[in-house]
Amino acid sequence: MALFTTTNYPVTALIEDIDLGKIGLPELQRPFVWPNKNVRNLFDSLYRGYPAGFLLFWNTGTETDLRAISNKNEKIPPNLAIVDGQQRLTSLYAVFKGAEVLRSNFKKEHIRIAFNPLTERFEVSDAAIAKDKAFIPDISTIWQKESDLFEIADKYVEGLSKVRELTPEQIKSAKSAIGKLHSLPSYDFVALTLSPAVDAETIAEAFV
């Protein structure tokens, strides 16, 4: 019997399964500890189409002591435990959904990642970047349900045009970059899912 199956898992499906409670975290996994620069680097990799590592799940097969990343639907017990990829999945969920993360000191934080469409550069947002018209200060706004992509692009160009002159080529390039950013949820991760028959010792070996 195969120890695991391999599937392509688009970010949109990962986010949806986290919202539905299908993907959970083993209680022994550490809290969110990534510095924000790692989150920035992850989004930079997705934007450029670089590999962002495998996700390793374990199909528990039965109800186990797992907790959901999202608390939207706690009635469905998760059946996919994250063996490797907790920090990346939490980062993706936090930024795409504009959700707060719980740090190891039990303080909640809204991770704000900024994007410069002219240079196609990501940065961890701060007070200076928030005032810089060259940046979208919080990319989470791009994927909110009420957001209009064309309106966001037009407002960005309009705001930047007030402080600097833009060529038609720069305007076209900036709008194209914003469109590319908006399409990041279609990025495919490669997920390895360990079968329910795999024991804890084998899972630990696979993780190492």
Side-chain angles (χ1 to χ4, degrees):
M1 186 191 72
L3 287 178
F4 63 86
T5 56
T6 305
T7 55
N8 286 336
Y9 219 140
V11 171
T12 46
L14 288 167
I15 298 297
E16 182 178 351
D17 283 352
I18 289 170
D19 263 341
L20 291 174
K22 293 180 180 179
I23 296 175
L25 304 175
E27 285 293 353
L28 294 179
Q29 288 261 30
R30 59 187 179 175
F32 188 72
V33 297
W34 259 18
N36 289 346
K37 66 178 182 179
N38 286 24
V39 183
R40 176 202 65 197
N41 293 344
L42 174 62
F43 274 82
D44 184 72
S45 292
L46 267 58
Y47 183 83
R48 301 185 191 288
Y50 295 164
F54 291 96
L55 298 174
L56 184 60
F57 295 121
W58 173 41
N59 187 341
T60 59
T62 57
E63 292 188 22
T64 55
D65 190 20
L66 297 176
R67 59 189 173 88
I69 298 174
S70 164
N71 58 6
K72 283 190 176 182
N73 192 341
E74 297 179 348
K75 295 180 180 179
I76 301 175
N79 65 345
L80 283 181
I82 303 168
V83 179
D84 190 16
Q86 177 185 346
Q87 303 299 308
R88 282 169 290 159
L89 280 179
T90 305
S91 299
L92 293 171
Y93 189 85
V95 176
F96 281 118
K97 301 291 285 189
E100 292 180 322
V101 296
L102 185 66
R103 290 292 187 180
S104 54
N105 60 2
F106 300 104
K107 290 184 178 180
K108 291 184 178 181
E109 178 189 351
H110 181 159
I111 300 172
R112 289 177 172 82
I113 303 300
F115 178 67
N116 184 328
L118 286 178
T119 61
E120 297 182 278
R121 192 174 91 247
F122 291 87
E123 295 289 353
V124 176
S125 196
D126 58 21
I129 285 175
K131 295 177 182 178
D132 190 341
K133 296 295 185 182
F135 281 91
I136 295 172
D138 184 358
I139 60 175
S140 294
T141 58
I142 294 281
W143 300 289
Q144 300 311 302
K145 285 184 179 180
E146 66 276 9
S147 295
D148 183 309
L149 182 62
F150 295 105
E151 184 179 340
I152 289 173
D154 286 341
K155 282 188 175 180
Y156 170 79
V157 170
E158 181 183 351
L160 186 55
S161 296
K162 291 179 179 178
V163 296
R164 59 178 288 187
E165 189 174 343
L166 296 174
T167 67
E169 290 76 17
Q170 286 177 318
I171 293 173
K172 182 179 179 181
S173 178
K175 288 187 174 183
S176 176
I178 292 171
K180 183 178 177 181
L181 175 65
H182 183 259
S183 70
L184 288 195
S186 64
Y187 180 97
D188 275 337
F189 274 89
V190 176
L192 308 178
T193 305
L194 297 162
S195 86
V198 176
D199 57 30
E201 185 178 353
T202 304
I203 290 169
E205 289 178 2
F207 178 78
V208 173

